Amino acid sequence: MHAPVSAARSSADQQAMPNRGMTGRVDAQALMRIRSLELRARIVVEGFLSGLHRSPYHGFSVEFTEYRPYTQGDDPRYLDWKVLARSDRTYIKKFEDETNLRCHLVIDRSRSMEFGTVGYSKSEYAITLAATLAHFLAHQGDAVGLVSFDETVRDYLPARSRPGHLRQILLALERPTGGRSTDLVAPLEQLARLVKKRGLLVLVSDFLAPLERLEPSLAMLSAAGHEAAVFQVLDPAEITLDFPSSAMFEDMESARTLHADPVAARKSYIERFSAHASALQAVCARLGISHSQILTSEPLDLALLEFLQRRKRTARVRRVAGGAA
Amino acid sequence: MSFLTPLFLLGGLAIALPVLFHLSRRATRKRTAFSSLMFLSPTAPRLKRRSRLEQWLLLILRCLALALLALGFARPFMKDGSPIIPISEQPRQVVLLLDTSASLRRDGAWTNALSKSDEVIRSLRPIDRLAVMCFGRETRTVLEFSEWEATPPDARATLARARLASLAPTWEGTLLGQALVAAADAFSDGDRDGRERGTKEIVLVSDLQAGSRLESLQAHEWPKDVRLEVAGVTPVRAGNAGVQWLAGSGEMTTRGKESVRIRVSNSIDAANEDFSLAWRRGAVPTGELVRVQVPPGQSRVVTMDAPGAALGADRIELSGDGVPFDNTVYVTPPEKQRLRVAYFGTDNPSDSAQPLYFLKHALESSPRVAVEIARLPQGGADLTATLAGVKVGFMTGLPTGGAALLRSWIESGGTLVAVPPFAAEATALAREVAGVDMNATDIKPTAGGYAMWGEIDFKHPLFSSFADPRYSDFTKIHIWRYRRLDIAKFDGARTLARFDSGDPAVIETPLGKGRILWLATGWQPMDSQLAVSSKFVPLVWSVLDYANVTRAEVSQYVVGDSLPLPVSARPVTVVGADGRTHSPGAGATHFPLTPFPGIYRVVADGVETRFMVNLDPAESKTEPLTIDDLEQFGVPAKSAAIGRPTMGEAQRQASLLAVEIEGRQKLWRWFIVATLAVLLSETILAARTGRRMRAQAETQEATP
């Protein structure tokens, strides 16, 4: 499934096409300079797909391709006989119901996500990540939906796989929001009501909220039978408190101000911040939610790769668990 | 250098503030947006390490500005270098100006005034001079400088006190401005001999009531070396209501009675607002109470019925006011004047072609005046008896055989208006009455068929009421025929009006004490249109006014006014309000002794005329003036500080000297100027530094 990218691609974007390094990864700085979100997503996904052949992780395409070569033990019912007749090769053809994943991308659009010190904000990074995932999943024919929220759900596009839906998702992602504070409780409750059918939920947020409020919401999703993956998007300065001089710091969500000298406050900040991060990680592990912390300075395809690896692992775990049952 | 108010130097401690501000770190102004403050703990802004000060020049300028300001407020002065004799060591010349107007009759006011005066006398030293003056409507000198100096020093205070004791509040109004001018002039005797006699002070002991008249100060330039100190007198009770008789009384009310209009005014500091008015005869009420409500600071006009003459009520009294001195107003009930006017002529009063017909209508009686026209000659009437008490006569025909009598009547003060109908009568009249040979001629104007009055002497009392340009147009009156009179034949004759042809139209010829007014044309339709013009009635009445037979409009006099006396051959007696009888000398036209309010009766030729003399209505305005009101007239006044010996005398002298020197040097002004200059340079410097620092910051941001 190809979106009409070439028509939309502007000459400015063509000039800004990022060079791929030897590893085939796209520099995040260069990527973010591209104005078109769709183009950004395509670049990541295409690079990723082409890199797949060279990658050592070969086996996971089972989940994401429509065809796979027949191996011993597969049910011969699923052999694509037409392909066998044409090319004398055996491929397994998966049924749509079975192969298609229902995935909802849940994006935090609150004001704290507007923070950024690397030339772009966490929000832009998160949107690109979501667009990349959407593009990738749609490319495989999976049904993708979008939920964006701040203190309440702002946009909801149900998961669909039909042509043009990807474009709607991208448009919804590009729409600016006037969100204020992060509140996961209310949006996730709304989400649980909206998404009845079980599927994959990908949460992209900075999770800069008290953990005691986050935990019940995540637990509720997990209990509803959804498979959840969490991307904690952070700016490097948020981890290290790397500011040159003392200043009045203003909270982007509450507009509260306090005077702080980063040199003096750094130690306690890092302690408290990493305590929060590890607590979040522990909560996710306990609830069976895959958690990955991404810095906005890191390349996007790395995030994608990590996501797929984790999914493969959890899928395996589930299969094993399902077989044992 | 010394300071008048050294406590202000403590303000110099404020220098610590700029030093602290310069020590504190400026970075707190920078703001950084951050995603969440939940992990961040606040740190206080720190002082710069090791008290390292920046911007030395700015700091010095700021400290300097504060220091100069503190110095300026401390009122510095240089002690040495100016050999000034303090005022208190110089001899003083003091005029004690004591208010004796009627408003001092209020409870406690006079006692207070006397004790304040006594304080002034006590404060004087042997080297000082004192004069005492008192004032109400007039300013009187009670004690002169020369008397004070002529008295031995130890007897001076006793003399001054004795003179003060002889004074009492009068019933007069308050001409304060005039009194101040007189008091300032009192110093001139010292100036005359050129000797330096010390400072000139007027100590005004007065209640400074709002009704004081200050207008005289406007035309007077206050001498610079005369200072005015005001020792305010306060009565026991504040607030006052007063009554005033208003002109226009005597109108008929709707009930058909004659009325009197009375204004009741209440001062702004009054406590009461319910009053009642009643007619009285002496202390006896003679009519019903009229209630009136006057809120403080306002006035009401009340119309009261005049009581019948039989009741003899002569005053209206206000009750309900705690300050009684101005609560009585004396009122003479309006009287109708009866006039007799003689008419010499034979015409029929009901014939509308004859002069008498018009004269009779012009002299119709009014509520004020009743005019009786005595026609002469009448069959068998005695001319002498008829002319008794008559001052004005109109003549169209000479009474037979009465010329000599008529002449003596005119010479004793009669006014004859001669309107001869033909030239022959004019010639006869001139010959027999005035004793002048004159040939009059009848004239019938040919040009246009009529003549007009052209040149009129509007300054003459006869025509003065027409002097206004709105009334001075006589050209509408056409004259068909007139007599040409030869004015040159009369001694002292005066032409009051001329025809457009140049012939005299109205001539006044004196004769003894009286006069003949010659009208060259009659007013009857055969002669002219005068009788039917709007000028005729006023003209006839101005003849009566000119002959001084009509009485002036009833008016009231205030205490101190002179009363007009009637002209009478026999002695006139005046009965004052206090019941005493006075006999003004022969030929006196005015009676000046009216020191009390009340009814004054003037009896002349057996006729009694009553005059009401009342308190000056301005005296009722008792709310006090402020010293600023005096200063508006250019009088530098201040409150008298008599009786303040709280400080030791030496200390007081020293502080007075300091105030004096500081007041002359006024160094504080230079300190304020210097402060402003320093602040200006500080502003410029700060602006430059700020601009430079911003530029540096921008370059730093551009090259991270």
Side-chain angles (χ1 to χ4, degrees):
Chain A
M1 187 162 71
H2 287 278
V5 173
S6 39
R9 190 184 293 173
S10 67
S11 59
D13 287 344
Q14 277 176 337
Q15 284 168 4
M17 282 286 271
N19 295 324
R20 288 176 194 283
M22 287 299 285
T23 56
R25 290 195 182 127
V26 187
D27 175 34
Q29 289 272 359
L31 182 73
M32 285 301 168
R33 263 182 246 134
I34 301 173
R35 233 185 313 144
S36 164
L37 180 64
E38 188 179 341
L39 187 55
R40 266 187 254 164
R42 275 195 53 174
I43 287 166
V44 179
V45 173
E46 279 174 5
F48 178 73
L49 287 182
S50 58
L52 275 184
H53 302 287
R54 295 200 297 267
S55 75
Y57 317 107
H58 198 59
F60 57 75
S61 61
V62 172
E63 304 258 349
F64 296 96
T65 51
E66 285 184 50
Y67 294 95
R68 68 173 170 83
Y70 173 78
T71 51
Q72 207 170 354
D74 279 341
D75 193 340
R77 272 189 304 178
Y78 302 130
L79 268 176
D80 194 334
W81 296 106
K82 285 180 185 167
V83 173
L84 180 65
R86 264 203 307 271
S87 60
D88 211 15
R89 286 177 192 165
T90 51
Y91 279 98
I92 293 283
K93 185 191 178 188
K94 299 195 86 175
F95 291 106
E96 290 217 335
D97 272 358
E98 216 183 331
T99 57
N100 275 22
L101 180 71
R102 299 184 64 85
C103 176
H104 281 94
L105 302 167
V106 186
I107 313 295
D108 182 1
R109 303 294 298 270
S110 69
R111 205 168 279 178
S112 67
M113 291 291 283
E114 298 298 327
F115 179 72
T117 56
V118 290
Y120 46 87
S121 65
K122 292 190 283 180
S123 184
E124 282 174 80
Y125 191 89
I127 287 169
T128 314
L129 174 62
T132 307
L133 286 174
H135 200 278
F136 182 74
L137 294 170
H139 189 77
Q140 311 189 116
D142 290 329
V144 192
L146 176 75
V147 180
S148 69
F149 70 93
D150 36 71
E151 63 265 32
T152 177
V153 170
R154 291 284 165 207
D155 282 310
Y156 171 61
L157 291 172
R160 294 223 174 90
S161 59
R162 65 164 182 236
H165 190 61
L166 174 66
R167 185 146 190 87
Q168 278 189 20
I169 289 178
L170 293 177
L171 282 175
L173 282 172
E174 278 179 319
R175 208 178 297 148
T177 57
R180 291 194 62 85
S181 56
T182 315
D183 179 17
L184 283 172
V185 182
L188 290 186
E189 273 176 8
Q190 277 177 290
L191 186 66
R193 279 199 299 276
L194 287 168
V195 184
K196 292 272 166 52
K197 226 168 174 180
R198 282 185 291 178
L200 174 63
L201 292 180
V202 179
L203 243 75
V204 184
S205 171
D206 51 8
F207 293 99
L208 292 178
L211 207 62
E212 54 269 27
R213 287 172 59 201
L214 286 177
E215 192 176 347
S217 312
L218 292 173
M220 187 178 67
L221 283 182
S222 190
H226 292 293
E227 186 190 348
V230 160
F231 282 98
Q232 188 179 15
V233 180
L234 293 172
D235 191 271
E238 283 177 328
I239 296 178
T240 58
L241 196 68
D242 189 14
F243 290 100
S245 58
S246 70
M248 289 300 291
F249 282 88
E250 183 178 353
D251 192 310
M252 291 175 81
E253 291 188 352
S254 66
R256 192 166 65 91
T257 57
L258 66 82
H259 184 273
D261 184 359
V263 182
R266 188 166 293 141
K267 195 169 165 242
S268 74
Y269 177 85
I270 292 175
E271 273 172 18
R272 289 159 79 177
F273 189 86
S274 44
H276 179 263
S278 46
L280 177 68
Q281 212 163 357
V283 165
C284 289
R286 194 160 66 241
L287 297 172
I289 297 172
S290 86
H291 169 272
S292 30
Q293 193 186 69
I294 313 170
L295 294 184
T296 50
S297 54
E298 288 175 1
L300 258 174
D301 37 6
L302 200 69
L304 193 57
L305 192 66
E306 194 180 331
F307 167 68
L308 292 178
Q309 275 178 332
R310 280 174 188 270
R311 270 198 47 77
K312 186 187 157 206
R313 249 180 272 141
T314 49
R316 238 182 245 152
V317 168
R318 286 188 179 200
R319 257 202 303 274
V320 168
Chain B
M1 184 180 278
S2 307
F3 299 97
L4 204 59
T5 49
L7 272 182
F8 274 102
L9 288 176
L10 289 179
L13 294 179
I15 290 176
L17 291 176
V19 175
L20 274 180
F21 291 146
H22 276 249
L23 279 172
S24 71
R25 198 174 264 261
R26 275 162 42 96
T28 47
R29 266 192 293 167
K30 191 175 158 195
R31 289 174 91 87
T32 305
F34 196 52
S35 49
S36 175
L37 299 184
M38 54 188 291
F39 310 114
L40 202 59
S41 45
T43 45
R46 289 183 309 169
L47 294 187
K48 293 203 170 180
R49 249 170 272 148
R50 270 175 273 144
S51 304
R52 200 159 57 81
L53 286 169
E54 285 177 3
Q55 310 291 349
W56 270 104
L57 194 54
L58 266 182
L59 175 62
I60 289 170
L61 283 176
R62 284 165 186 172
C63 294
L64 190 61
L66 284 171
L68 284 171
L69 200 62
L71 280 172
F73 270 90
R75 309 278 290 273
F77 61 94
M78 313 295 285
K79 253 186 185 164
D80 45 358
S82 50
I84 299 163
I85 306 166
I87 288 170
S88 47
E89 282 176 15
Q90 291 178 355
R92 292 164 69 204
Q93 304 185 78
V94 179
V95 173
L96 173 62
L97 187 59
L98 180 61
D99 187 354
T100 55
S101 66
S103 58
L104 269 284
R105 289 181 171 268
R106 289 182 285 166
D107 275 355
W110 183 244
T111 332
N112 195 342
L114 285 181
S115 71
K116 290 251 162 105
S117 309
D118 200 50
E119 279 176 38
V120 175
I121 294 169
R122 265 192 285 142
S123 73
L124 295 174
R125 299 156 303 171
I127 51 166
D128 301 335
R129 308 165 78 210
L130 176 75
V132 181
M133 298 173 101
C134 68
F135 72 100
R137 190 185 155 105
E138 304 288 333
T139 310
R140 286 176 282 270
T141 306
V142 180
L143 178 69
E144 287 190 27
F145 280 129
S146 55
E147 284 180 85
W148 173 270
E149 284 177 325
T151 314
D154 49 348
R156 285 175 181 169
T158 324
L159 172 71
R161 286 194 188 106
R163 294 283 170 90
L164 282 178
S166 68
L167 297 176
T170 61
W171 288 100
E172 294 175 359
T174 314
L175 296 187
L176 177 57
Q178 194 182 301
L180 285 172
V181 172
D185 286 343
F187 292 112
S188 58
D189 75 318
D191 296 339
R192 239 174 275 141
D193 59 13
R195 254 194 317 142
E196 180 56 48
R197 290 169 192 267
T199 56
K200 298 173 179 174
E201 291 170 41
I202 297 173
V203 181
L204 172 66
V205 179
S206 168
D207 57 353
L208 277 189
Q209 36 130 198
S212 306
R213 300 225 163 84
L214 293 168
E215 299 81 26
S216 314
L217 287 174
Q218 252 165 354
H220 186 267
E221 196 184 345
W222 190 256
K224 277 183 187 152
D225 55 345
V226 177
R227 295 190 307 160
L228 174 66
E229 296 201 358
V230 180
V233 169
T234 42
V236 175
R237 192 195 295 260
N240 176 35
V243 279
Q244 182 189 358
W245 179 91
L246 294 180
S249 295
E251 305 279 322
M252 292 291 181
T253 61
T254 46
R255 281 176 286 181
K257 288 186 174 179
E258 287 194 335
S259 68
V260 173
R261 295 199 310 142
I262 299 292
R263 175 185 288 145
V264 180
S265 49
N266 199 3
S267 69
I268 199 145
D269 48 357
N272 189 16
E273 59 176 65
D274 289 310
F275 304 102
S276 51
L277 291 166
W279 282 94
R280 278 171 190 271
R281 177 189 185 180
V284 187
T286 55
E288 59 192 30
L289 284 179
V290 176
R291 301 209 174 276
V292 55
Q293 198 175 42
V294 188
Q298 296 189 19
S299 65
R300 294 273 182 280
V301 175
V302 183
T303 306
M304 294 180 76
D305 288 346
L311 289 171
D314 60 353
R315 68 193 76 174
I316 294 174
E317 202 159 281
L318 178 81
S319 45
D321 178 29
V323 183
F325 80 98
D326 57 347
N327 287 357
T328 306
V329 61
Y330 293 90
V331 180
T332 52
E335 289 172 34
K336 198 165 191 171
Q337 188 190 9
R338 301 192 180 280
L339 276 181
R340 286 189 80 210
V341 171
Y343 184 79
F344 307 96
T346 51
D347 42 335
N348 182 359
S350 52
D351 183 356
S352 64
Q354 301 282 331
L356 180 57
Y357 174 82
F358 297 100
L359 188 67
K360 192 183 69 181
H361 283 93
L363 293 173
E364 289 280 0
S365 293
S366 72
R368 289 274 159 70
V369 193
V371 184
E372 182 200 340
I373 299 177
R375 289 184 59 209
L376 296 166
Q378 283 171 331
D382 179 8
L383 199 58
T384 323
T386 319
L387 281 177
V390 173
K391 293 279 183 59
V392 181
F394 291 84
M395 169 177 281
T396 53
L398 188 64
T400 41
L405 255 176
L406 201 57
R407 185 185 168 92
S408 68
W409 171 73
I410 297 171
E411 281 175 341
S412 67
T415 299
L416 180 70
V417 182
V419 198
F422 294 101
E425 272 91 346
T427 311
L429 190 66
R431 188 176 57 243
E432 290 181 29
V433 178
V436 172
D437 255 338
M438 174 196 72
N439 274 323
T441 38
D442 280 314
I443 302 289
K444 258 185 110 115
T446 46
Y450 60 87
M452 291 181 294
W453 281 3
E455 195 182 306
I456 296 167
D457 180 6
F458 287 112
K459 287 186 186 135
H460 192 270
L462 206 56
F463 291 104
S464 60
S465 56
F466 302 104
D468 190 298
R470 283 178 294 174
Y471 314 122
S472 63
D473 180 15
F474 279 75
T475 56
K476 298 255 171 65
I477 304 167
H478 294 183
I479 290 144
W480 318 122
R481 46 184 287 266
Y482 64 87
R483 270 64 64 191
R484 180 180 289 153
L485 306 172
D486 190 358
I487 184 173
K489 293 281 170 58
F490 294 95
D491 278 345
R494 189 173 163 198
T495 308
L496 306 184
R498 285 179 191 280
F499 294 109
D500 52 351
S501 59
D503 292 332
V506 182
I507 303 168
E508 181 184 4
T509 58
L511 191 63
K513 285 182 187 167
R515 61 189 76 84
I516 303 176
L517 292 168
W518 296 86
L519 258 65
T521 178
W523 52 77
Q524 67 275 23
M526 198 180 81
D527 272 12
S528 70
Q529 294 178 325
L530 181 58
V532 293
S533 84
S534 61
K535 307 283 193 267
F536 180 58
V537 177
L539 192 63
V540 170
W541 281 98
S542 8
V543 170
L544 298 192
D545 285 342
Y546 185 44
N548 211 3
V549 291
T550 51
R551 200 160 41 199
E553 187 87 347
V554 182
S555 61
Q556 73 172 335
Y557 297 86
V558 299
V559 173
D561 277 347
S562 294
L563 305 177
L565 293 178
V567 182
S568 170
R570 280 179 281 177
V572 176
T573 52
V574 180
V575 183
D578 51 351
R580 285 168 63 190
T581 308
H582 305 264
S583 305
T589 55
H590 283 89
F591 177 70
L593 286 172
T594 54
F596 309 104
I599 305 289
Y600 286 71
R601 287 175 293 148
V602 176
V603 186
D605 297 332
V607 180
E608 183 185 275
T609 317
R610 292 153 73 91
F611 292 97
M612 47 184 168
V613 177
N614 279 311
L615 202 63
D616 188 347
E619 269 315 277
S620 296
K621 296 180 188 164
T622 51
E623 51 272 25
L625 291 176
T626 61
I627 284 179
D628 294 346
D629 293 322
L630 281 174
E631 283 180 348
Q632 278 178 3
F633 287 94
V635 181
K638 62 172 190 172
S639 270
I642 43 176
R644 63 179 158 190
T646 44
M647 272 192 280
E649 187 62 21
Q651 202 183 342
R652 197 170 69 91
Q653 296 284 332
S655 71
L656 277 178
L657 180 66
V659 171
E660 180 82 15
I661 297 174
E662 199 276 336
R664 289 189 194 184
Q665 292 179 344
K666 289 203 171 83
L667 289 182
W668 62 270
R669 290 198 287 203
W670 295 109
F671 280 93
I672 298 296
V673 169
T675 309
L676 289 177
V678 168
L679 282 179
L680 188 68
S681 40
E682 189 270 344
T683 309
I684 295 168
L685 187 64
R688 273 194 197 158
T689 316
R691 220 177 296 143
R692 205 170 54 230
M693 284 171 72
R694 264 199 303 281
Q696 275 175 5
E698 275 163 22
T699 34
Q700 273 173 10
E701 271 171 33
T703 55

